[in-house]
């Protein structure tokens, strides 16, 4: 940090951090010295490293200077207003689910509907849980930060740790199956200034526990925000988790998110990451397959138009034998949008019989759209099965012509083929209300969308 | 219905059609035969408006209007249909959906109301019987994983449903077994009407036993070098193309 502007920024942060620590100290979390220690060391890391520039390998294609100029006005508990009808419009068409709502990062008990829970299960605000059951959290919290910060723990994650106010906490005890999905809405609703929110989520799945968790990010019409979110997930032996992250914020907003997973023996996580909104978006998913037989599915779709910039980084560490990862990411870029995909798989020395496959396919719809895709494979074990591949292409001319020769206009034909490409990812989503809403929203972004929507409903009838 | 005059077409600066003339009247069935690479598919593609072809001179008049510069979808909605030699697979696009969109685009173009879901499905069921098509194929992605014969049958099924005024079949008979050939033929014969015309591109006389053409033309090196009645096909089957070429060269 050297320029005068950076110095001002640094001072601002310092003041903000002290104020934040004070606020926490006078609040109910004062007795949690371990938490304060995490926050302090994260803040120190941030002070030391500053924001990344494009000289950092890990940020080579993504320039965050527009984000660092936003002023970082942190949301506070007064920023929790939303009209119920506006909220309802954003929701998935779910009949039964456990619903958590965060308005500008503030948990809204009023709008949440957690429903009835079995004994011992916790679904709620992390802040509440830190007051009520800190012992469940202390050991699991911020584990990824201990791994000396390379790409796995970049400075935005540290900022989240230093500044987070609240987030979701989900604890599913051993052998408990939560049938209904847990849906978490994060809504930016404040339009006077650009607020920064730092949701912090922790999901703990006990042995053989099962659940589905959906994180869904939205901005109300015209609201510009910066979301800097972190989710930590730990699955004990034999646990099964479906995790969805759906980002549909406004195209002027900034979103940086990290999902850090640790999977123990024979546990299985299916991760679906769908990124449609945002001006600058960065998603990191870092997985540690830390127990024999652990398995992760990474399914992802990113779409950009206009000047959207969307960057997905995934890292899978195969740390133990017989672990499996299967990654399938697709990108659709139009206008002057720019996409980045970096998928790294590391097979560590002990991880014999690893099975890792990765594929990334991109569709460029305009001459000005761009994608930088880089699959990386590092293998330190000898008995493994690994494959990866990346493709970049345009719509197939023969297919377009075939559709037009049957009477479909050019725009509809393009939309239909684009939709078909994106739907390869969306259709893997098992949870129907999300799949259907996403198909509808993705179809709705394309020209001739009425017909595509008709296609969806006709396909569903059949 | 279709009148092609002195048509010269090139691809990448190579002339493929070199002054082709063809007159097709409503109610007629024309067969076009000719050696590989002579320009049969090129002709079919140019009629339906595929891009990548340069029309150097000549004209294609359909129902009194010059087709030059008309988008392929408009030609389709005006009643021109091509059953492709190599139908393309389109993963993720549902067959029924394509049919419905095609059907409604055509109806809208003519100022007719769109069909509702029930009317449409009734029609689909009726036409499926015509080509004896398996119902699973209907709900799959367009041509995806279809066998060669299934793809051809799907083309004829689309044709039966869309009821074009001018249907062009580009080697629809290649790769079909005898039963399928009969089905395709009955699909085509079912379409035959006073106000419609059909152009069949084929290498084999066999199909013409089932669909009796009014005229047979020989296309060679970008031109129609001989035309005749249905007996010309038999003669070609027996003697090949050389004698026609020699005759044309001599003239
Ligand atoms: N895109 C293209 N680029 C270059 N040459 C082409 C292209 N398309 C067709 N041609 C050439 O044009 C000529 C005519 O091709 P066309 O497909 O029309 O022949 P055809 O009569 O249908 O042959 P077949 O009986 O084998 O189907 C061939 O020499 C072919 O190689
Ligand atoms: Mg051909």
């Amino acid at each position: 940090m050297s320029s005068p502007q950076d110095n001002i920024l640094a001072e601002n942060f310092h003041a903000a951090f002290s104020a934040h620590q004070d606020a926490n100290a006078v609040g109910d979390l004062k007795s949690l010295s371990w938490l304060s220690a995490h926050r302090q060391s994260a803040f120190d890391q941030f002070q030391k490293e500053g924001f990344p520039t494009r000289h950092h390998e890990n940020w080579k294609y993504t320039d965050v200077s527009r984000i660092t100029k936003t002023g970082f006005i942190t949301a506070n508990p007064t920023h929790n207003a939303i009209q119920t009808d506006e909220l309802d419009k954003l929701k998935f068409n779910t009949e039964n689910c456990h619903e958590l709502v965060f308005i500008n990062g503030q948990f809204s008990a009023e709008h949440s509907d957690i429903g009835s829970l079995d004994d011992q299960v916790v679904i709620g605000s992390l802040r509440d849980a830190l007051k009520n059951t800190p012992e469940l959290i202390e050991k699991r919290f911020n584990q990824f930060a201990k791994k000396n910060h390379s790409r796995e723990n970049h400075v935005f994650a540290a900022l989240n740790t230093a500044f987070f106010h609240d987030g979701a906490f989900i604890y599913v005890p051993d052998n408990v199956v939560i049938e209904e999905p847990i849906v978490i809405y994060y809504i930016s609703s404040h339009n006077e200034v650009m607020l920064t929110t730092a949701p912090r989520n922790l999901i703990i799945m006990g042995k053989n526990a099962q659940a589905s968790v959906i994180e869904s990010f939205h901005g109300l019409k015209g609201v510009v925000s910066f979301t800097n979110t972190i989710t930590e997930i730990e699955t004990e032996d034999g646990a099964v988790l479906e995790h969805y992250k759906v980002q549909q914020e406004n195209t002027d907003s900034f979103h940086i998110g990290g999902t850090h997973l640790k999977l123990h023996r024979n546990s299985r996580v299916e991760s679906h990451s769908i990124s449609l909104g945002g001006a600058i978006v960065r998603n990191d998913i870092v997985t540690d397959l830390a127990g024999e037989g652990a398995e992760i599915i990474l399914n992802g779709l990113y779409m950009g138009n206009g000047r959207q910039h969307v960057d997905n980084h995934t890292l899978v560490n195969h740390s133990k034998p017989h672990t499996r990862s299967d990654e399938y990411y697709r990108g659709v870029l139009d206008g002057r949008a720019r996409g980045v995909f970096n998928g790294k798989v590391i097979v560590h020395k002990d991880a014999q019989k690893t099975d890792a496959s990765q594929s990334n396919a991109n569709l460029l719809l305009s001459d000005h759209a761009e994608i930088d895709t880089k699959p990386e494979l590092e293998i330190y074990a000898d008995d493994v099965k690994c494959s990866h591949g990346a493709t970049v292409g345009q719509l197939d001319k023969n297919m377009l012509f075939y559709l037009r020769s049957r009477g479909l206009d050019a725009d509809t034909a393009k939309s239909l083929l684009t939709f078909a490409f994106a739907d390869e990812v969306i259709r893997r989503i098992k949870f129907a209300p999300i799949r259907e809403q996403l198909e509808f929203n993705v179809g709705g972004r394309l020209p001739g969308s009425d017909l595509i929507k008709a296609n969806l409903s006709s396909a569903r009838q059949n | 219905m279709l009148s092609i005059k002195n048509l010269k077409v090139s691809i990448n600066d190579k002339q493929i059609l070199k002054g082709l003339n063809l007159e097709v009247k409503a109610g007629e069935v024309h067969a076009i035969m000719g050696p590989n690479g002579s320009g049969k598919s090129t002709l079919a593609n140019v009629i339906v408006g595929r891009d990548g072809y340069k029309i150097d001179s000549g004209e294609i008049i359909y129902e009194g209007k010059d087709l030059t510069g008309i988008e392929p979808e408009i030609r389709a909605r005006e009643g021109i249909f091509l059953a492709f030699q190599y139908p393309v697979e389109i993963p993720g696009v549902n067959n029924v959906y394509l049919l419905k969109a095609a059907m409604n685009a055509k109806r809208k173009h003519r100022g007719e109301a769109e069909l509702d879901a029930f009317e449409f499905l009734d029609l689909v069921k009726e036409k499926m019987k015509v080509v004896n098509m398996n119902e699973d194929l209907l709900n799959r992605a367009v041509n995806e994983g279809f066998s060669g014969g299934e793809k051809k049958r799907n083309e004829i099924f689309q044709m039966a449903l869309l009821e074009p005024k001018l249907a062009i079949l580009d080697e629809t008979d290649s790769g079909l077994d005898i039963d399928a050939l009969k089905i395709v033929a009955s699909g085509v014969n079912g379409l035959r009407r006073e106000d419609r015309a059909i152009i069949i591109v084929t290498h084999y006389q066999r199909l013409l036993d089932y669909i009796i053409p009014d005229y047979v033309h020989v296309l060679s090196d970008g031109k129609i070098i001989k035309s005749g009645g249905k007996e010309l096909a038999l003669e070609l089957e027996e003697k090949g193309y050389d004698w026609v070429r020699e005759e044309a060269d001599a003239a």
Side-chain angles (χ1 to χ4, degrees), chain A residues 398-399 401-410 416-417 420 451 455, chain B residues 50 71 73 76-77 81-82 84 88-91 97 102 105 143 155 158:
Chain A
N398 289 323
M399 294 185 194
F401 178 68
Y402 188 92
L403 295 174
R404 294 180 72 189
S405 80
R406 297 304 181 242
L408 277 64
D409 63 72
L416 207 58
L417 294 177
L451 274 164
N455 177 27
Chain B
R50 189 178 203 128
E71 301 289 346
E73 56 269 34
R77 292 173 200 169
F81 181 94
L82 171 60
F84 288 92
V88 56
E89 301 195 7
I90 312 183
Y97 170 69
N143 294 323
E155 296 290 288
Q158 291 180 6

mmCIF file of all heavy atoms in Angstrom, chain A residues 398-399 401-410 416-417 420 451 455, chain B residues 50 71 73 76-77 81-82 84 88-91 97 102 105 143 155 158:
data_model
loop_
_atom_site.group_PDB
_atom_site.id
_atom_site.type_symbol
_atom_site.label_atom_id
_atom_site.label_comp_id
_atom_site.label_asym_id
_atom_site.label_seq_id
_atom_site.Cartn_x
_atom_site.Cartn_y
_atom_site.Cartn_z
ATOM 1 N N ASN A 398 -24.422 -24.950 -38.421
ATOM 2 C CA ASN A 398 -25.338 -25.932 -39.008
ATOM 3 C C ASN A 398 -26.615 -26.067 -38.195
ATOM 4 O O ASN A 398 -27.699 -26.223 -38.740
ATOM 5 C CB ASN A 398 -24.666 -27.301 -39.110
ATOM 6 C CG ASN A 398 -23.596 -27.297 -40.173
ATOM 7 O OD1 ASN A 398 -23.757 -26.665 -41.214
ATOM 8 N ND2 ASN A 398 -22.494 -27.980 -39.905
ATOM 9 N N MET A 399 -26.446 -26.026 -36.868
ATOM 10 C CA MET A 399 -27.639 -26.122 -36.027
ATOM 11 C C MET A 399 -28.526 -24.894 -36.213
ATOM 12 O O MET A 399 -29.747 -25.005 -36.305
ATOM 13 C CB MET A 399 -27.231 -26.225 -34.562
ATOM 14 C CG MET A 399 -26.488 -27.489 -34.210
ATOM 15 S SD MET A 399 -26.213 -27.513 -32.430
ATOM 16 C CE MET A 399 -24.988 -28.824 -32.326
ATOM 17 N N PHE A 401 -28.759 -23.007 -38.778
ATOM 18 C CA PHE A 401 -29.436 -23.049 -40.072
ATOM 19 C C PHE A 401 -30.589 -24.051 -40.061
ATOM 20 O O PHE A 401 -31.660 -23.793 -40.596
ATOM 21 C CB PHE A 401 -28.458 -23.366 -41.207
ATOM 22 C CG PHE A 401 -29.170 -23.452 -42.518
ATOM 23 C CD1 PHE A 401 -29.730 -22.318 -43.074
ATOM 24 C CD2 PHE A 401 -29.336 -24.662 -43.161
ATOM 25 C CE1 PHE A 401 -30.443 -22.390 -44.258
ATOM 26 C CE2 PHE A 401 -30.046 -24.746 -44.344
ATOM 27 C CZ PHE A 401 -30.597 -23.598 -44.896
ATOM 28 N N TYR A 402 -30.360 -25.173 -39.435
ATOM 29 C CA TYR A 402 -31.412 -26.196 -39.382
ATOM 30 C C TYR A 402 -32.678 -25.609 -38.748
ATOM 31 O O TYR A 402 -33.788 -25.755 -39.273
ATOM 32 C CB TYR A 402 -30.920 -27.401 -38.581
ATOM 33 C CG TYR A 402 -31.841 -28.594 -38.614
ATOM 34 C CD1 TYR A 402 -31.680 -29.585 -39.565
ATOM 35 C CD2 TYR A 402 -32.856 -28.739 -37.675
ATOM 36 C CE1 TYR A 402 -32.512 -30.693 -39.591
ATOM 37 C CE2 TYR A 402 -33.699 -29.840 -37.697
ATOM 38 C CZ TYR A 402 -33.517 -30.821 -38.659
ATOM 39 O OH TYR A 402 -34.345 -31.923 -38.676
ATOM 40 N N LEU A 403 -32.493 -24.914 -37.626
ATOM 41 C CA LEU A 403 -33.659 -24.345 -36.941
ATOM 42 C C LEU A 403 -34.344 -23.289 -37.809
ATOM 43 O O LEU A 403 -35.567 -23.235 -37.894
ATOM 44 C CB LEU A 403 -33.237 -23.739 -35.601
ATOM 45 C CG LEU A 403 -32.704 -24.748 -34.569
ATOM 46 C CD1 LEU A 403 -32.189 -24.015 -33.333
ATOM 47 C CD2 LEU A 403 -33.786 -25.735 -34.165
ATOM 48 N N ARG A 404 -33.534 -22.456 -38.447
ATOM 49 C CA ARG A 404 -34.124 -21.414 -39.301
ATOM 50 C C ARG A 404 -34.847 -22.035 -40.494
ATOM 51 O O ARG A 404 -35.880 -21.536 -40.923
ATOM 52 C CB ARG A 404 -33.050 -20.440 -39.764
ATOM 53 C CG ARG A 404 -32.469 -19.637 -38.614
ATOM 54 C CD ARG A 404 -31.399 -18.681 -39.091
ATOM 55 N NE ARG A 404 -31.975 -17.564 -39.835
ATOM 56 C CZ ARG A 404 -31.236 -16.685 -40.514
ATOM 57 N NH1 ARG A 404 -29.908 -16.807 -40.552
ATOM 58 N NH2 ARG A 404 -31.817 -15.698 -41.149
ATOM 59 N N SER A 405 -34.294 -23.114 -41.008
ATOM 60 C CA SER A 405 -34.930 -23.739 -42.175
ATOM 61 C C SER A 405 -36.288 -24.339 -41.811
ATOM 62 O O SER A 405 -37.053 -24.720 -42.679
ATOM 63 C CB SER A 405 -34.028 -24.833 -42.748
ATOM 64 O OG SER A 405 -34.153 -26.012 -41.973
ATOM 65 N N ARG A 406 -36.548 -24.430 -40.491
ATOM 66 C CA ARG A 406 -37.871 -24.908 -40.071
ATOM 67 C C ARG A 406 -38.793 -23.751 -39.706
ATOM 68 O O ARG A 406 -39.875 -23.956 -39.167
ATOM 69 C CB ARG A 406 -37.728 -25.861 -38.874
ATOM 70 C CG ARG A 406 -36.933 -27.142 -39.200
ATOM 71 C CD ARG A 406 -37.537 -27.895 -40.380
ATOM 72 N NE ARG A 406 -36.831 -29.121 -40.715
ATOM 73 C CZ ARG A 406 -36.228 -29.337 -41.884
ATOM 74 N NH1 ARG A 406 -36.211 -28.406 -42.818
ATOM 75 N NH2 ARG A 406 -35.637 -30.492 -42.122
ATOM 76 N N GLY A 407 -38.302 -22.510 -39.927
ATOM 77 C CA GLY A 407 -39.183 -21.355 -39.735
ATOM 78 C C GLY A 407 -38.922 -20.535 -38.493
ATOM 79 O O GLY A 407 -39.598 -19.547 -38.242
ATOM 80 N N LEU A 408 -37.924 -20.925 -37.676
ATOM 81 C CA LEU A 408 -37.627 -20.147 -36.475
ATOM 82 C C LEU A 408 -36.748 -18.954 -36.850
ATOM 83 O O LEU A 408 -35.797 -19.113 -37.613
ATOM 84 C CB LEU A 408 -36.894 -21.014 -35.441
ATOM 85 C CG LEU A 408 -37.793 -21.884 -34.555
ATOM 86 C CD1 LEU A 408 -38.540 -22.919 -35.361
ATOM 87 C CD2 LEU A 408 -36.951 -22.562 -33.485
ATOM 88 N N ASP A 409 -37.049 -17.787 -36.284
ATOM 89 C CA ASP A 409 -36.220 -16.643 -36.658
ATOM 90 C C ASP A 409 -34.838 -16.767 -36.026
ATOM 91 O O ASP A 409 -34.632 -17.548 -35.089
ATOM 92 C CB ASP A 409 -36.896 -15.322 -36.291
ATOM 93 C CG ASP A 409 -37.083 -15.187 -34.816
ATOM 94 O OD1 ASP A 409 -36.092 -14.987 -34.103
ATOM 95 O OD2 ASP A 409 -38.239 -15.317 -34.359
ATOM 96 N N ALA A 410 -33.908 -15.988 -36.546
ATOM 97 C CA ALA A 410 -32.505 -16.143 -36.157
ATOM 98 C C ALA A 410 -32.296 -15.937 -34.659
ATOM 99 O O ALA A 410 -31.567 -16.694 -34.011
ATOM 100 C CB ALA A 410 -31.639 -15.178 -36.961
ATOM 101 N N LEU A 416 -32.348 -20.445 -28.395
ATOM 102 C CA LEU A 416 -32.652 -21.840 -28.109
ATOM 103 C C LEU A 416 -31.370 -22.646 -27.939
ATOM 104 O O LEU A 416 -31.228 -23.448 -27.018
ATOM 105 C CB LEU A 416 -33.457 -22.373 -29.295
ATOM 106 C CG LEU A 416 -34.405 -23.504 -29.044
ATOM 107 C CD1 LEU A 416 -35.414 -23.125 -27.993
ATOM 108 C CD2 LEU A 416 -35.138 -23.838 -30.335
ATOM 109 N N LEU A 417 -30.406 -22.395 -28.807
ATOM 110 C CA LEU A 417 -29.141 -23.132 -28.727
ATOM 111 C C LEU A 417 -28.333 -22.688 -27.514
ATOM 112 O O LEU A 417 -27.685 -23.500 -26.851
ATOM 113 C CB LEU A 417 -28.330 -22.937 -30.004
ATOM 114 C CG LEU A 417 -28.967 -23.536 -31.261
ATOM 115 C CD1 LEU A 417 -28.104 -23.222 -32.483
ATOM 116 C CD2 LEU A 417 -29.153 -25.043 -31.123
ATOM 117 N N ALA A 420 -29.902 -24.244 -24.554
ATOM 118 C CA ALA A 420 -29.590 -25.678 -24.501
ATOM 119 C C ALA A 420 -28.190 -25.894 -23.917
ATOM 120 O O ALA A 420 -27.957 -26.807 -23.125
ATOM 121 C CB ALA A 420 -29.686 -26.290 -25.896
ATOM 122 N N LEU A 451 -40.747 -17.766 -26.345
ATOM 123 C CA LEU A 451 -40.800 -19.089 -26.933
ATOM 124 C C LEU A 451 -40.046 -20.109 -26.106
ATOM 125 O O LEU A 451 -40.446 -21.250 -25.978
ATOM 126 C CB LEU A 451 -40.200 -19.037 -28.343
ATOM 127 C CG LEU A 451 -41.202 -18.633 -29.406
ATOM 128 C CD1 LEU A 451 -40.497 -18.233 -30.678
ATOM 129 C CD2 LEU A 451 -42.141 -19.797 -29.679
ATOM 130 N N ASN A 455 -41.230 -23.474 -24.434
ATOM 131 C CA ASN A 455 -40.525 -24.750 -24.596
ATOM 132 C C ASN A 455 -40.419 -25.461 -23.264
ATOM 133 O O ASN A 455 -40.671 -26.646 -23.149
ATOM 134 C CB ASN A 455 -39.109 -24.488 -25.144
ATOM 135 C CG ASN A 455 -38.266 -25.754 -25.274
ATOM 136 O OD1 ASN A 455 -38.802 -26.850 -25.440
ATOM 137 N ND2 ASN A 455 -36.961 -25.599 -25.201
ATOM 138 N N ARG B 50 -29.560 -21.141 -47.533
ATOM 139 C CA ARG B 50 -28.415 -21.295 -46.653
ATOM 140 C C ARG B 50 -27.357 -20.273 -47.036
ATOM 141 O O ARG B 50 -27.153 -19.992 -48.213
ATOM 142 C CB ARG B 50 -27.841 -22.691 -46.821
ATOM 143 C CG ARG B 50 -26.787 -23.013 -45.813
ATOM 144 C CD ARG B 50 -26.283 -24.434 -45.984
ATOM 145 N NE ARG B 50 -25.721 -24.861 -44.740
ATOM 146 C CZ ARG B 50 -26.032 -25.979 -44.102
ATOM 147 N NH1 ARG B 50 -26.900 -26.803 -44.620
ATOM 148 N NH2 ARG B 50 -25.471 -26.280 -42.961
ATOM 149 N N GLU B 71 -34.638 -14.257 -46.061
ATOM 150 C CA GLU B 71 -34.112 -15.089 -44.973
ATOM 151 C C GLU B 71 -34.669 -16.513 -45.063
ATOM 152 O O GLU B 71 -35.821 -16.705 -45.449
ATOM 153 C CB GLU B 71 -34.530 -14.502 -43.617
ATOM 154 C CG GLU B 71 -34.065 -13.081 -43.356
ATOM 155 C CD GLU B 71 -32.560 -12.993 -43.126
ATOM 156 O OE1 GLU B 71 -31.913 -14.037 -42.914
ATOM 157 O OE2 GLU B 71 -32.039 -11.867 -43.179
ATOM 158 N N GLU B 73 -35.802 -18.450 -42.797
ATOM 159 C CA GLU B 73 -37.029 -18.703 -42.017
ATOM 160 C C GLU B 73 -38.276 -18.199 -42.740
ATOM 161 O O GLU B 73 -39.346 -18.777 -42.616
ATOM 162 C CB GLU B 73 -36.939 -18.117 -40.602
ATOM 163 C CG GLU B 73 -36.649 -16.629 -40.492
ATOM 164 C CD GLU B 73 -35.155 -16.329 -40.391
ATOM 165 O OE1 GLU B 73 -34.346 -17.067 -41.012
ATOM 166 O OE2 GLU B 73 -34.799 -15.364 -39.701
ATOM 167 N N ALA B 76 -39.114 -20.726 -45.311
ATOM 168 C CA ALA B 76 -39.770 -21.879 -44.673
ATOM 169 C C ALA B 76 -41.234 -21.566 -44.392
ATOM 170 O O ALA B 76 -42.118 -22.385 -44.659
ATOM 171 C CB ALA B 76 -39.041 -22.232 -43.373
ATOM 172 N N ARG B 77 -41.466 -20.364 -43.861
ATOM 173 C CA ARG B 77 -42.850 -20.011 -43.516
ATOM 174 C C ARG B 77 -43.714 -19.842 -44.762
ATOM 175 O O ARG B 77 -44.931 -20.003 -44.702
ATOM 176 C CB ARG B 77 -42.862 -18.706 -42.715
ATOM 177 C CG ARG B 77 -42.230 -18.879 -41.340
ATOM 178 C CD ARG B 77 -42.096 -17.542 -40.655
ATOM 179 N NE ARG B 77 -41.095 -17.609 -39.594
ATOM 180 C CZ ARG B 77 -40.621 -16.546 -38.967
ATOM 181 N NH1 ARG B 77 -41.049 -15.338 -39.279
ATOM 182 N NH2 ARG B 77 -39.719 -16.693 -38.014
ATOM 183 N N PHE B 81 -39.625 -26.445 -47.912
ATOM 184 C CA PHE B 81 -39.077 -27.357 -46.905
ATOM 185 C C PHE B 81 -37.995 -28.227 -47.523
ATOM 186 O O PHE B 81 -38.177 -28.784 -48.605
ATOM 187 C CB PHE B 81 -40.195 -28.260 -46.373
ATOM 188 C CG PHE B 81 -39.738 -29.229 -45.319
ATOM 189 C CD1 PHE B 81 -39.839 -28.910 -43.968
ATOM 190 C CD2 PHE B 81 -39.211 -30.468 -45.673
ATOM 191 C CE1 PHE B 81 -39.418 -29.808 -42.993
ATOM 192 C CE2 PHE B 81 -38.781 -31.374 -44.703
ATOM 193 C CZ PHE B 81 -38.889 -31.034 -43.366
ATOM 194 N N LEU B 82 -36.868 -28.339 -46.807
ATOM 195 C CA LEU B 82 -35.810 -29.244 -47.258
ATOM 196 C C LEU B 82 -35.618 -30.365 -46.245
ATOM 197 O O LEU B 82 -35.363 -30.113 -45.069
ATOM 198 C CB LEU B 82 -34.490 -28.468 -47.431
ATOM 199 C CG LEU B 82 -33.225 -29.296 -47.685
ATOM 200 C CD1 LEU B 82 -33.327 -30.132 -48.959
ATOM 201 C CD2 LEU B 82 -31.984 -28.399 -47.756
ATOM 202 N N PHE B 84 -33.063 -32.738 -45.138
ATOM 203 C CA PHE B 84 -31.614 -32.681 -45.339
ATOM 204 C C PHE B 84 -30.992 -34.048 -45.638
ATOM 205 O O PHE B 84 -31.432 -35.067 -45.102
ATOM 206 C CB PHE B 84 -30.934 -32.099 -44.099
ATOM 207 C CG PHE B 84 -31.164 -30.627 -43.933
ATOM 208 C CD1 PHE B 84 -32.228 -30.148 -43.169
ATOM 209 C CD2 PHE B 84 -30.322 -29.706 -44.540
ATOM 210 C CE1 PHE B 84 -32.443 -28.789 -43.018
ATOM 211 C CE2 PHE B 84 -30.531 -28.346 -44.398
ATOM 212 C CZ PHE B 84 -31.597 -27.888 -43.631
ATOM 213 N N VAL B 88 -28.855 -32.510 -38.833
ATOM 214 C CA VAL B 88 -27.915 -32.235 -37.758
ATOM 215 C C VAL B 88 -28.529 -32.588 -36.400
ATOM 216 O O VAL B 88 -29.738 -32.503 -36.209
ATOM 217 C CB VAL B 88 -27.472 -30.747 -37.837
ATOM 218 C CG1 VAL B 88 -28.649 -29.812 -37.800
ATOM 219 C CG2 VAL B 88 -26.480 -30.388 -36.753
ATOM 220 N N GLU B 89 -27.685 -33.024 -35.483
ATOM 221 C CA GLU B 89 -28.155 -33.320 -34.121
ATOM 222 C C GLU B 89 -28.118 -32.031 -33.310
ATOM 223 O O GLU B 89 -27.135 -31.299 -33.361
ATOM 224 C CB GLU B 89 -27.232 -34.349 -33.447
ATOM 225 C CG GLU B 89 -27.157 -35.651 -34.210
ATOM 226 C CD GLU B 89 -26.561 -36.802 -33.392
ATOM 227 O OE1 GLU B 89 -26.330 -36.622 -32.168
ATOM 228 O OE2 GLU B 89 -26.343 -37.871 -33.976
ATOM 229 N N ILE B 90 -29.167 -31.762 -32.577
ATOM 230 C CA ILE B 90 -29.200 -30.541 -31.765
ATOM 231 C C ILE B 90 -29.483 -30.893 -30.310
ATOM 232 O O ILE B 90 -30.632 -30.903 -29.866
ATOM 233 C CB ILE B 90 -30.254 -29.537 -32.291
ATOM 234 C CG1 ILE B 90 -30.111 -29.371 -33.812
ATOM 235 C CG2 ILE B 90 -30.093 -28.197 -31.585
ATOM 236 C CD1 ILE B 90 -31.050 -28.361 -34.421
ATOM 237 N N PRO B 91 -28.439 -31.167 -29.546
ATOM 238 C CA PRO B 91 -28.635 -31.558 -28.153
ATOM 239 C C PRO B 91 -29.335 -30.448 -27.378
ATOM 240 O O PRO B 91 -29.063 -29.273 -27.595
ATOM 241 C CB PRO B 91 -27.202 -31.732 -27.614
ATOM 242 C CG PRO B 91 -26.316 -31.810 -28.802
ATOM 243 C CD PRO B 91 -27.025 -31.088 -29.913
ATOM 244 N N TYR B 97 -40.779 -29.477 -29.204
ATOM 245 C CA TYR B 97 -40.739 -28.030 -29.115
ATOM 246 C C TYR B 97 -40.405 -27.401 -30.456
ATOM 247 O O TYR B 97 -41.036 -26.434 -30.884
ATOM 248 C CB TYR B 97 -39.708 -27.577 -28.076
ATOM 249 C CG TYR B 97 -39.504 -26.088 -28.177
ATOM 250 C CD1 TYR B 97 -40.522 -25.218 -27.800
ATOM 251 C CD2 TYR B 97 -38.349 -25.563 -28.726
ATOM 252 C CE1 TYR B 97 -40.390 -23.858 -27.954
ATOM 253 C CE2 TYR B 97 -38.206 -24.203 -28.884
ATOM 254 C CZ TYR B 97 -39.231 -23.354 -28.492
ATOM 255 O OH TYR B 97 -39.092 -22.017 -28.657
ATOM 256 N N ALA B 102 -41.993 -24.309 -35.013
ATOM 257 C CA ALA B 102 -42.010 -24.223 -36.475
ATOM 258 C C ALA B 102 -43.441 -24.034 -36.981
ATOM 259 O O ALA B 102 -43.734 -23.185 -37.817
ATOM 260 C CB ALA B 102 -41.402 -25.489 -37.076
ATOM 261 N N ALA B 105 -44.761 -20.583 -35.998
ATOM 262 C CA ALA B 105 -44.124 -19.513 -36.780
ATOM 263 C C ALA B 105 -44.804 -19.421 -38.145
ATOM 264 O O ALA B 105 -45.089 -18.338 -38.649
ATOM 265 C CB ALA B 105 -42.631 -19.782 -36.932
ATOM 266 N N ASN B 143 -32.868 -35.127 -33.269
ATOM 267 C CA ASN B 143 -31.924 -36.040 -33.938
ATOM 268 C C ASN B 143 -30.806 -36.600 -33.059
ATOM 269 O O ASN B 143 -29.958 -37.347 -33.535
ATOM 270 C CB ASN B 143 -31.282 -35.378 -35.171
ATOM 271 C CG ASN B 143 -32.300 -35.105 -36.260
ATOM 272 O OD1 ASN B 143 -33.205 -35.900 -36.463
ATOM 273 N ND2 ASN B 143 -32.159 -33.985 -36.939
ATOM 274 N N GLU B 155 -37.129 -36.341 -40.589
ATOM 275 C CA GLU B 155 -37.266 -35.282 -41.590
ATOM 276 C C GLU B 155 -38.628 -35.375 -42.283
ATOM 277 O O GLU B 155 -39.307 -34.374 -42.482
ATOM 278 C CB GLU B 155 -36.155 -35.380 -42.651
ATOM 279 C CG GLU B 155 -34.737 -35.150 -42.119
ATOM 280 C CD GLU B 155 -34.478 -33.715 -41.722
ATOM 281 O OE1 GLU B 155 -34.355 -32.846 -42.592
ATOM 282 O OE2 GLU B 155 -34.410 -33.472 -40.496
ATOM 283 N N GLN B 158 -41.405 -34.301 -39.985
ATOM 284 C CA GLN B 158 -41.510 -32.837 -39.931
ATOM 285 C C GLN B 158 -42.207 -32.311 -41.178
ATOM 286 O O GLN B 158 -43.052 -31.422 -41.105
ATOM 287 C CB GLN B 158 -40.120 -32.204 -39.841
ATOM 288 C CG GLN B 158 -39.422 -32.465 -38.525
ATOM 289 C CD GLN B 158 -38.045 -31.808 -38.470
ATOM 290 O OE1 GLN B 158 -37.663 -31.074 -39.368
ATOM 291 N NE2 GLN B 158 -37.303 -32.083 -37.413
#
